[in-house]
Structures are given as structure tokens and as C-alpha cells.
Amino acid sequence: MELKKEIMNSKKSNLNLENRNKLILSGVVEVISFDDKTIILDTSLGTLTTKGENLKMQKLDVQNGDVIIVGHVNSCVYTTTESKKDKDSIIAKLFR
């Protein structure tokens, strides 16, 4: 649990996609779910959903937060848990 907090606080994450066949990630907090078409990871910058074909986790280093995924990658999408309310501009706050 302490490691998860430490990674979340550092907000450091790298994503490197090589020829759509090898995805190298750092800053991974935990693996939420995976199969050969979709891998969902919780990272220090939000939830990362990777979709493709024949996806496999070649390396999973939970202690350092490193993951290597091989297979044909079609998409990588980040979603955050921050609410829209936190991102309101000053002008939007004035006209409430």
C-alpha cells in the first residue's frame, strides 16, 4: 500500500510504443485486468486501457512499476479519476 502511494505521488510515467508491437510502460501502480485483446492498468497518471490483438505481458515488475506488453497495439487511452469540478476555470466559478 505504501508503494502505491509513493508511485501516485511521484506522478512520473513513461509510455514508449515501438512499431505498434512492443509497449514499454513505467509508473504502473497495478494491473486491473488483462486478456489477449485488452489490458487495463492503473498508472500514476490515471487508468490506461490498451487494446489490440494477441496482447501479452512480457515483463511485469510491480516493485518498480514497469510493464512490457507485446502484441499488435491498436489503441492506448488514458482516463483520469479527477472530477471535472476540480478543473473548472476561474471564470466558470465566477458565474455559478
Side-chain angles (χ1 to χ4, degrees):
M1 186 71 168
E2 188 173 308
L3 176 64
K4 186 174 179 178
K5 287 180 185 178
E6 184 178 316
I7 292 172
M8 291 292 283
N9 290 336
S10 70
K11 291 284 187 181
K12 236 179 190 182
S13 183
N14 288 312
L15 182 143
N16 184 10
L17 180 60
E18 298 176 1
N19 298 323
R20 291 181 68 181
N21 293 320
K22 185 176 185 181
L23 181 63
I24 303 168
L25 297 163
S26 65
V28 176
V29 178
E30 72 177 305
V31 178
I32 297 172
S33 70
F34 65 94
D35 60 28
D36 64 334
K37 295 186 183 206
T38 304
I39 297 177
I40 303 173
L41 305 168
D42 187 17
T43 72
S44 58
L45 298 177
T47 303
L48 175 66
T49 302
T50 303
K51 293 186 179 184
E53 299 167 11
N54 301 318
L55 298 177
K56 295 179 177 106
M57 278 194 266
Q58 186 177 29
K59 175 186 173 188
L60 174 59
D61 185 353
V62 178
Q63 206 166 32
N64 294 320
D66 297 329
V67 173
I68 296 177
I69 298 170
V70 294
H72 185 75
V73 177
N74 292 328
S75 70
C76 294
V77 177
Y78 276 101
T79 53
T80 60
T81 56
E82 294 178 21
S83 67
K84 187 178 177 191
K85 196 174 189 180
D86 294 338
K87 293 186 175 187
D88 285 344
S89 68
I90 294 172
I91 294 174
K93 290 178 182 178
L94 288 173
F95 291 107
R96 283 190 188 175

